[in-house]
Amino acid sequence: MATQTFPIDLTAYQPLNLDPTQPKLSQQQKETLKHNIQLCRDVIIFFTATGAAKGVGGHTGGPYDTVPEVMILDGLFRGAPNKFVPIFFDEAGHRVATQYLISTLRGQLPAEKLLHYREAYSKLPGHPELGLTPGVQFSSGRLGHMWPYVNGIAMANPNKIVFCLGSDGSQQEGNDAEAARLAVSQNLNVKLIIDDNDVTIAGHPSEYQKGFDVGRTLEGHGLTTLTGEGEDIESLYDRIYRAISNDGPMAVINKRKMSVGVEGIEGTPEGHDVIPVDAAIAYLENRGHKEAVDYLKSISKAKNPYTYIGSTEEVGSNRNIFGDTVVSILDSMSDQDRKNKIMCIDNDLEGSCGLKQIRKAYPDIFVSGGIMERGNFLAAAGFGMEAGKQGIYATFSAFLEMCVSEISMARLNGSNVLCHFSHSGIDDMADNTCHFGINNMFADNGLEEGDETRLYFPGDPGQMIACVKAVFNDPGLRFIFSTRSKVPHLLDSNGNKLYGEDYQFTPGKDEVIREGTAGYVVSFGECLYRALDAVEQLKQEGLDIGLINKSTLNVVDEEMMKKIGQSPLVMVVEAFNRRTGLGSRFGTWLLERGYTPKYAHLGTYQEGCGGLWEQYPYQGLDPKGIISHVKALSKGIN
């Protein structure tokens, strides 16, 4: 990693010690805080924008917003380290820029490292990971998980105050309601510092969740709340002072616009994501940071240099193709049938899961459900309880683990739900380990008798279209997975698209992508085109390995099992967790049927490296890794 000078002078930061018994800030303290806030906001704008310039993404608005409260907490931690647990616990993992900035200000992370925000192998992933990044003191996981965890931290430190940075988004999660009740019942000395900016990814909670109010909700659980303007330093400090001057749980709620002061982004959902480079440049130019502007202008977006054999250069976004295909099916229904039979429920991720197209086309059957994965899933299932009706539900695959109990309940009630879990696997996952969608087989947790649950992972855009059309009206629970990354079209041995317009998807049937006499690789989803490249290379080297597309993940195709079970070797290649994925079952399926080929399975087995496509070679799932494992498995076979 090249060493470069950080173009904003962080030595200008003025460490401030604040006395927690001091009820008011002095004029000098206010001026110092304002100076530090502006400096840190400039730095956050700059180094998160490097992620935008490189194509690895990131999040700017959240960490930018909460700088005032973080600067006050930093002063309190410096002034009375024994009174507090001096960790900036944060429910919003996407505010990771805060953790990296604090690590730098504390001298634990060189400022130059910030220039590699979210890059592969930089150890600066899109969510904080304990033990990976110098100075980072906790792993955030997903929204709504940190406050319950912090309750335990408070129990372990009964004589200290523990802070938890929250948000109006994380407060929508059911876990926080449970955490509030425990904190109140045990009088835990937890202080919530909540950024209430009325913005989530998909919109404004005040519009799509009328009636929800952070303060009233927390008061209903028994917390004392202190609400005021987050950008008013005197008010903010006063409320934090009052919170720490009283025992027990309290919530300091800070009202502000998202990305306040950032032209073109202030108050909009766009502020949730990484700031566009042009907006960052305009901001930094206005602030006089010429070197930072020059640095951003010098960055070029990196591309994967590898060219894959057996698939097209043309790529498609399967997560969006899901939504487009559903809309085409809804188009064919009468207005009355559509309204009576379909309900689509979003989890604040409509633009990421393909549901935005459905909302635009048919808003009367669309619900912006907010950040409430469990409850929204059951609402979709409840709508689909009656024969002929179905709910449509979508979120990220990493959140499937949060819905396992709800999936079981939906199954017990015979519900009809078409589920789309996007961002599956590890591809293009700079958010890293906590956002890996690798435990998707957990959805297949029913008893064998009469279970109609089906898990599908199409291999390319053409198969996604055909799959959605084929299973749309099937009864029961159907889970369709897609990746964050775009995927190419697979080609047949003649160079034509394998899944063209005439292709029809048959649920439960595995498909031969390439024949092989020396054994077979079994794969699916975004691993499939990588495996196809590996198979083609192996054939060129004289090892005639075939490739099977197992796009229905949890159904045994007996005919195909016989075919590959009688071959010399079988290797499953997937991005799912090696412990819980398809490969952990497939060997058993072979043995149960009396087949004993040499067997191996590759999957995700270690925490991520950040970046985008780099996750694949890091896990040994790229063509080179597949080829190496196949050759090792084939040794000794006559």
Side-chain angles (χ1 to χ4, degrees), residues 22-64:
Q22 176 187 336
K24 298 289 183 183
L25 293 168
S26 69
Q27 186 61 36
Q28 181 60 49
Q29 287 171 330
K30 284 189 285 187
E31 292 303 318
T32 299
L33 279 172
K34 289 179 180 178
H35 167 81
N36 287 343
I37 289 166
Q38 188 61 66
L39 173 66
C40 290
R41 282 182 161 170
D42 293 354
V43 170
I44 286 170
I45 289 283
F46 166 66
F47 82 80
T48 58
T50 66
K54 295 169 187 173
V56 294
H59 295 275
T60 303
Y64 176 95

Side-chain angles (χ1 to χ4, degrees), residues 323-357:
D324 294 335
T325 307
V326 169
V327 169
S328 73
I329 296 169
L330 296 176
D331 287 344
S332 66
M333 300 173 67
S334 69
D335 291 346
Q336 193 63 43
D337 268 1
R338 192 167 49 242
K339 193 172 182 63
N340 288 341
K341 296 180 178 180
I342 306 294
M343 181 59 66
C344 180
I345 302 183
D346 174 51
N347 290 278
D348 192 52
L349 295 170
E350 60 171 43
S352 298
C353 299
L355 297 194
K356 187 175 182 178
Q357 299 93 300

Side-chain angles (χ1 to χ4, degrees), residues 145-175:
H145 287 62
M146 187 51 66
W147 183 6
Y149 192 83
V150 164
N151 279 348
I153 301 292
M155 291 176 178
N157 297 270
N159 299 317
K160 294 185 177 182
I161 293 171
V162 188
F163 290 101
C164 182
L165 295 162
S167 65
D168 51 339
S170 60
Q171 285 295 313
Q172 294 179 29
E173 290 280 15
N175 273 3

Side-chain angles (χ1 to χ4, degrees), residues 244-548:
I244 63 177
S245 299
N246 293 275
D247 289 335
M250 298 183 74
V252 176
I253 301 172
N254 302 314
K255 300 283 189 179
R256 59 164 59 92
K257 291 183 178 180
M258 173 162 262
S259 302
V260 60
V262 182
E263 187 175 351
I265 296 176
E266 179 181 290
T268 71
E270 283 70 26
H272 177 277
D273 208 337
V274 69
I275 188 170
V277 176
D278 57 351
I281 287 174
Y283 173 94
L284 293 166
E285 283 179 337
N286 187 52
R287 295 283 308 137
H289 294 296
K290 182 179 184 305
E291 288 185 28
V293 168
D294 291 343
Y295 184 87
L296 285 178
K297 289 181 177 179
S298 73
I299 296 174
S300 57
K301 191 173 295 187
K303 293 183 179 180
N304 186 352
Y306 194 91
T307 300
Y308 291 93
I309 304 171
S311 56
T312 63
E313 292 187 10
E314 173 195 357
V315 294
S317 174
N318 271 3
R319 56 191 170 112
N320 286 308
I321 288 170
F322 171 87
D324 294 335
T325 307
V326 169
V327 169
S328 73
I329 296 169
L330 296 176
D331 287 344
S332 66
M333 300 173 67
S334 69
D335 291 346
Q336 193 63 43
D337 268 1
R338 192 167 49 242
K339 193 172 182 63
N340 288 341
K341 296 180 178 180
I342 306 294
M343 181 59 66
C344 180
I345 302 183
D346 174 51
N347 290 278
D348 192 52
L349 295 170
E350 60 171 43
S352 298
C353 299
L355 297 194
K356 187 175 182 178
Q357 299 93 300
I358 301 174
R359 176 182 59 79
K360 284 186 173 182
Y362 299 107
D364 56 332
I365 62 165
F366 186 90
V367 174
S368 295
I371 308 169
M372 304 183 299
E373 295 85 1
R374 304 166 185 85
N376 287 340
F377 180 87
L378 284 179
F383 182 89
M385 183 177 184
E386 182 182 330
K389 294 191 174 187
Q390 73 167 315
I392 299 176
Y393 174 91
T395 188
F396 290 170
S397 289
F399 307 151
L400 186 149
E401 300 168 29
M402 299 161 62
C403 302
V404 170
S405 181
E406 288 74 16
I407 290 168
S408 294
M409 184 174 174
R411 185 182 293 109
L412 289 170
N413 282 288
S415 295
N416 305 307
V417 188
L418 179 65
C419 309
H420 177 212
F421 283 85
S422 71
H423 292 55
S424 188
I426 61 173
D427 208 5
D428 276 15
M429 210 67 74
D431 278 336
N432 221 45
T433 307
C434 77
H435 267 40
F436 283 177
I438 56 176
N439 288 315
N440 297 326
M441 300 297 280
F442 285 4
D444 184 37
N445 62 355
L447 300 174
E448 291 183 37
E449 182 182 11
D451 182 24
E452 295 180 325
T453 302
R454 296 292 181 266
L455 277 55
Y456 303 107
F457 204 149
D460 79 355
Q463 191 173 42
M464 172 61 87
I465 294 170
C467 176
V468 175
K469 289 180 176 179
V471 308
F472 186 84
N473 290 310
D474 286 352
L477 304 179
R478 289 137 293 144
F479 295 84
I480 298 180
F481 300 105
S482 67
T483 59
R484 181 182 186 272
S485 60
K486 295 180 179 180
V487 292
H489 293 264
L490 301 173
L491 300 174
D492 63 22
S493 55
N494 295 317
N496 301 313
K497 286 184 179 179
L498 193 64
Y499 299 119
E501 294 182 2
D502 296 332
Y503 168 73
Q504 290 188 337
F505 181 82
T506 304
K509 295 299 292 181
D510 302 341
E511 298 173 345
V512 176
I513 305 299
R514 294 290 189 273
E515 286 287 4
T517 58
Y520 287 93
V521 170
V522 178
S523 193
F524 56 86
E526 83 287 15
C527 275
L528 200 60
Y529 73 87
R530 294 173 165 100
L532 179 53
D533 178 276
V535 163
E536 292 284 18
Q537 289 193 58
L538 287 166
K539 287 180 181 295
Q540 291 173 9
E541 295 178 23
L543 188 56
D544 188 24
I545 298 294
L547 177 63
I548 305 299

